[in-house]
């Protein structure tokens, strides 16, 4: 995800489109809204991504601990 996000961000920046985002990991829920036309997403990873993104004041990708912690537990070489 980090590599794909980096590629997308670099492509957008090359077109003078500033972007900022956050990568988190965990369970979340998706349910249709009352009209059934759109989906509502909610869960801890989405809240964490929102809070992390709001704290940053720069262009780029923030990788939250929830995204790298599962790999860190496996040992070196994953992140």
């Amino acid at each position: 995800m980090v590599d794909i996000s980096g590629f997308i961000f670099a492509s957008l920046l090359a077109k003078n489109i500033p972007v900022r985002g956050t990568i988190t990991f965990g369970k979340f829920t998706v349910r249709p809204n009352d009209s059934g036309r759109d989906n509502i997403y909610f869960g801890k990873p989405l809240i964490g991504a929102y809070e992390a993104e709001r704290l940053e004041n720069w262009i780029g990708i923030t990788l939250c601990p929830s995204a790298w912690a599962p790999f860190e537990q496996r040992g070196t070489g994953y992140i």
Side-chain angles (χ1 to χ4, degrees), residues 2 5 7 26 32-33 38-39 47 57 62 69 71 73-74 79:
V2 174
S5 299
F7 177 74
N33 68 356
D38 299 305
N39 289 323
I47 294 169
N57 191 20
T62 301
F71 297 97
Q73 295 169 357
R74 294 181 181 182
I79 293 278

Side-chain angles (χ1 to χ4, degrees), residues 21-34:
T22 303
I23 297 174
T24 59
F25 177 78
K27 293 182 180 182
F28 64 96
T29 302
V30 181
R31 295 209 175 128
N33 68 356
D34 291 338

Side-chain angles (χ1 to χ4, degrees), residues 11-76:
S11 297
L12 291 169
L13 288 173
K15 295 181 181 187
N16 295 319
I17 301 171
V19 290
R20 181 173 64 207
T22 303
I23 297 174
T24 59
F25 177 78
K27 293 182 180 182
F28 64 96
T29 302
V30 181
R31 295 209 175 128
N33 68 356
D34 291 338
S35 71
R37 291 180 46 197
D38 299 305
N39 289 323
I40 299 172
Y41 300 82
F42 55 96
K44 190 174 179 179
L46 298 172
I47 294 169
Y50 171 79
E51 290 173 345
E53 190 273 335
R54 299 295 292 165
L55 292 173
E56 300 297 335
N57 191 20
W58 56 281
I59 295 172
I61 303 168
T62 301
L63 184 63
C64 291
S66 67
W68 56 259
F71 297 97
E72 183 179 53
Q73 295 169 357
R74 294 181 181 182
T76 60

